Amino acid sequence: MTIYDLHCHSTASDGVLSPRELVHRANEKGVHVLALTDHDELSGQAEAATVAQEAGLRLIHGVEISVTWGNVTLHVVGLNVDPQDPVLLNGLARNRGGRSERARRIGEDLARLGIAGAFEGASALAENKELISRTHFARFLIERGIAKNMKSVFKKYLVKGKPGYVTHEWASLNDALTWIHAAGGVAVLAHPGRYQIGREKMRLLLSEFKHLGGAGIEVVTGSHTQDQVPLYADLAVEFDLMASIGSDFHAPGEGGRELGRLTALPERCRPIWQAWN
Ligand code: AMP
Ligand code: MN
Ligand code: MN
Ligand code: MN
């Protein structure tokens, strides 16, 4: 059986392993086909591809694009993209552009609460200074002993309505899909179970996504509970979308799912790799 893991992060975004270390770890965990999907960033792809070739594992070039849809932030994964495509590269550069200013404002918001030096702290933890994410702030808050772990930090801070949350306008859904398609890739709605939208709005999202040429949704992901898997498998079938599988691994022992440690896609799903195999 071929083990797929089509969603994970390196130090090019908010992961803690370099692309090299990440591919080696995936190989050790028995992954055969890996997609590196850094947030709004492709700079880890070349190193990952070289190491994958050495290790005898198949690398699929990927990216996870931050999207604003109405008042909701969504993540769209592009898989099997050309990492050198200028349309995609330009779009991602534009999406990264606002992150530094946003990070400064997150820092100011936390400072008002008496937590000093958060911007500097998060920035120091981010290897890619264009890619300071809430994950880096979360790690800073944990280091400072202000929160116990990732789960608790994202309950009290950095989310809508809590200190350290700053609204931000990311790419539109249409832009994200246009960039992915320009680069020859397929678009996958990441971890649908994580969005705080009701059933009706989820259906609206899926029909709009499908209408724009979206190819699939993540059915098995580190972000879904076992109960959510059949729910999104049904929606994939209903909307004629393919199904993807990915750990969303960021760091060893940080609370997320380990590379390659996922249950199989339900039988009724059409796996996303049919799009490129
Ligand atoms: P950003 O792109 O800067 O808004 O950061 C988003 C990242 O924060 C996600 O990709 C996750 O890595 C992390 N994150 C957001 N919410 C949570 C959560 N509830 N638990 C753990 N990590 C989270
Ligand atoms: Mn992340
Ligand atoms: Mn995500
Ligand atoms: Mn992710």
Side-chain angles (χ1 to χ4, degrees):
M1 197 179 70
T2 308
I3 309 286
Y4 289 83
D5 191 334
L6 303 177
H7 187 151
C8 65
H9 298 271
S10 76
T11 46
S13 65
D14 58 352
V16 303
L17 302 183
S18 67
R20 164 174 299 276
E21 293 165 331
L22 185 78
V23 171
H24 279 309
R25 189 180 183 93
N27 195 37
E28 280 160 20
K29 301 291 177 190
V31 175
H32 302 114
V33 183
L34 179 76
L36 171 61
T37 56
D38 279 309
H39 297 286
D40 304 314
E41 182 60 272
L42 291 163
S43 64
Q45 297 297 321
E47 181 180 313
T50 305
V51 179
Q53 197 165 26
E54 289 163 11
L57 165 158
R58 176 150 185 214
L59 183 85
I60 301 295
H61 294 302
V63 65
E64 182 173 19
I65 305 181
S66 316
V67 163
T68 297
W69 184 70
N71 59 356
V72 190
T73 299
L74 304 173
H75 286 171
V76 176
V77 166
L79 292 176
N80 203 35
V81 295
D82 171 3
Q84 261 135 33
D85 180 80
V87 173
L88 179 60
L89 286 168
N90 284 334
L92 296 179
R94 177 144 61 89
N95 227 20
R96 285 194 303 273
R99 276 192 182 264
S100 298
E101 184 51 32
R102 170 191 185 237
R104 236 175 274 281
R105 289 177 57 200
I106 292 175
E108 285 164 13
D109 203 47
L110 291 170
R112 276 190 280 278
L113 203 78
I115 302 168
F119 170 74
E120 292 75 12
S123 175
L125 292 172
E127 193 154 299
N128 179 356
K129 303 302 178 198
E130 280 187 27
L131 219 298
I132 305 175
S133 86
R134 285 183 292 156
T135 317
H136 299 111
F137 280 94
R139 291 190 185 123
F140 167 82
L141 293 171
I142 294 164
E143 256 183 35
R144 280 291 164 94
I146 292 161
K148 201 168 78 242
N149 53 38
M150 277 285 165
K151 209 178 155 138
S152 66
V153 76
F154 278 103
K155 262 192 191 142
K156 286 197 282 191
Y157 305 94
L158 307 169
V159 291
K160 224 172 233 181
K162 299 290 156 88
Y165 184 79
V166 166
T167 51
H168 190 76
E169 188 77 17
W170 302 104
S172 70
L173 190 60
N174 185 39
D175 280 348
L177 269 68
T178 302
W179 303 340
I180 291 167
H181 294 151
V186 291
V188 172
L189 182 68
H191 42 62
R194 244 173 61 180
Y195 308 125
Q196 302 294 316
I197 57 180
R199 287 175 65 89
E200 283 318 300
K201 213 165 168 192
M202 177 55 68
R203 306 179 88 80
L204 189 69
L205 169 60
L206 292 177
S207 60
E208 197 175 319
F209 182 74
K210 174 80 186 174
H211 182 74
L212 291 171
I217 64 174
E218 287 183 345
V219 169
V220 173
T221 137
S223 298
H224 283 173
T225 62
Q226 273 320 313
D227 294 350
Q228 284 175 314
V229 172
L231 227 98
Y232 290 97
D234 287 346
L235 284 171
V237 170
E238 184 184 333
F239 285 86
D240 191 28
L241 290 158
M242 290 187 267
S244 191
I245 178 167
S247 60
D248 207 356
F249 175 85
H250 283 73
E254 205 171 60
R257 202 70 59 93
E258 180 56 78
L259 287 160
R261 292 290 179 277
L262 298 156
T263 58
L265 285 174
E267 290 278 344
R268 59 189 181 284
C269 291
R270 274 191 304 136
I272 191 75
W273 47 89
Q274 285 181 1
W276 64 76
N277 274 349

